Amino acid sequence: MSQTDIFGLHAVTSLLNRNPGRVRRLLVQQGRGDERLQSVLDKAEAQGIKVIEEPRQQLDQRAGGGRHQGVIAECEPLKALNEKALGPLLDFAGDAPLILVLDGVTDPHNLGACLRTADAAGATVVIAPKDKSAPLNATVAKVACGAAEVVPYVQVTNLARTLQSLQERGIWITGTAGEADGSLYQVDLTGPQALVMGAEGKGMRRLTRENCDQLISIPMAGEVSSLNVSVATGVCLFEMVRQRQLKAAQG
């Protein structure tokens, strides 16, 4: 039977708060009884979740070198949504959905960080192609710090076709490219928007780029030519949030 392990106090706490039904059992470190771990144990007891004590060495081995902080949740694997879920999500998103599209982000650390940022920015959904995308695994859940549990992550068969369907809904597609003439801070990013982030190094694929309504870049003042994709995602999403808030304040 397939399963996934979520480890670390914050990630496990978020899981117990938001989706305890996924947890099959908790594995906790023998002899550890600090206040933060006890809080996790209390939540597990309240949900009727079985707790098993194991030596730290076994937890270290199971976490594969990850920082488990004395607790691992053995749970049902996270599953990406398919494209059939996208329509209903957008139907309930209001007049100005904020969508994050990841084209070719294969590193689970980057996906986790992007999901965490998307959650903080209030994104409606994160979309990625089924091919050449990171899976929703334990590393993603750990880095996302609970966001992987609540941010809808939709994997689609044909990303270009999906972008076209977003455009048919009146959603403006903004792609990011280092060579783009338009600056992030000089374009209107309010209204219904989909922000497209490409893979590090290669950037967006050709068909993805061709289906963007506009391309923008992040002004770079230093020696480096680009940012990590998760950092760039944060910069762009929160500029979009800033513009939206300013527009709302101006009425």
Side-chain angles (χ1 to χ4, degrees), residues 122-189:
T124 303
V125 61
V126 176
I127 301 172
K130 287 182 178 179
D131 62 317
K132 298 181 181 179
S133 291
L136 284 176
N137 58 20
T139 300
V140 173
K142 172 70 173 175
V143 175
C145 291
E149 305 293 327
V150 294
V151 177
Y153 180 60
V154 175
Q155 289 189 316
V156 299
T157 303
N158 187 317
L159 184 58
R161 186 173 62 206
T162 298
L163 294 179
Q164 292 167 9
S165 71
L166 294 179
Q167 290 169 325
E168 290 171 0
R169 283 177 169 264
I171 296 171
W172 194 255
I173 311 296
T174 299
T176 53
E179 71 278 9
D181 293 330
S183 165
L184 166 69
Y185 305 110
Q186 296 173 336
V187 297
D188 182 2
L189 296 172

Side-chain angles (χ1 to χ4, degrees), residues 11-247:
V12 173
T13 298
S14 294
L15 178 63
L16 292 173
N17 285 337
R18 297 177 173 183
N19 200 352
R22 282 188 57 218
V23 182
R24 294 173 179 170
R25 60 179 184 169
L26 285 189
L27 308 177
V28 299
Q29 182 178 322
Q30 287 179 347
R32 178 166 178 170
D34 58 89
E35 186 174 337
R36 290 185 68 193
L37 181 58
Q38 187 58 51
S39 175
V40 171
L41 295 177
D42 291 343
K43 291 180 184 296
E45 182 181 3
Q47 296 289 341
I49 296 170
K50 186 178 181 180
V51 176
I52 298 175
E53 292 190 357
E54 291 192 351
R56 177 175 178 175
Q57 185 177 3
Q58 290 189 26
L59 296 185
D60 290 345
Q61 184 177 7
R62 184 147 182 170
R67 188 163 174 258
H68 57 73
Q69 299 175 298
V71 60
I72 297 176
E74 181 183 290
C75 54
E76 304 287 342
L78 274 171
K79 294 181 180 179
L81 301 172
N82 62 37
E83 43 211 304
K84 291 181 180 179
L86 188 56
L89 285 169
L90 296 176
D91 289 341
F92 289 96
D95 296 332
L98 177 57
I99 299 165
L100 174 62
V101 179
L102 302 176
D103 185 23
V105 175
T106 58
D107 185 335
H109 291 88
N110 282 335
L111 174 57
C114 287
L115 288 173
R116 185 175 182 177
T117 301
D119 179 50
T124 303
V125 61
V126 176
I127 301 172
K130 287 182 178 179
D131 62 317
K132 298 181 181 179
S133 291
L136 284 176
N137 58 20
T139 300
V140 173
K142 172 70 173 175
V143 175
C145 291
E149 305 293 327
V150 294
V151 177
Y153 180 60
V154 175
Q155 289 189 316
V156 299
T157 303
N158 187 317
L159 184 58
R161 186 173 62 206
T162 298
L163 294 179
Q164 292 167 9
S165 71
L166 294 179
Q167 290 169 325
E168 290 171 0
R169 283 177 169 264
I171 296 171
W172 194 255
I173 311 296
T174 299
T176 53
E179 71 278 9
D181 293 330
S183 165
L184 166 69
Y185 305 110
Q186 296 173 336
V187 297
D188 182 2
L189 296 172
T190 60
Q193 287 274 346
L195 172 69
V196 185
M197 307 298 299
E200 291 184 46
K202 296 181 180 180
M204 292 180 292
R205 292 178 292 182
R206 179 182 59 83
L207 279 176
T208 304
R209 178 189 292 259
E210 290 177 358
N211 280 283
C212 291
D213 294 304
Q214 64 181 352
L215 296 178
I216 61 171
S217 63
I218 300 174
M220 304 290 291
E223 294 296 322
V224 297
S225 59
S226 64
L227 297 173
N228 170 279
V229 64
S230 63
V231 175
T233 297
V235 172
C236 293
L237 281 180
F238 276 93
E239 171 60 15
M240 298 170 91
V241 170
R242 185 194 70 82
Q243 290 191 21
R244 287 165 176 245
Q245 291 177 342
L246 181 62
K247 185 175 181 179

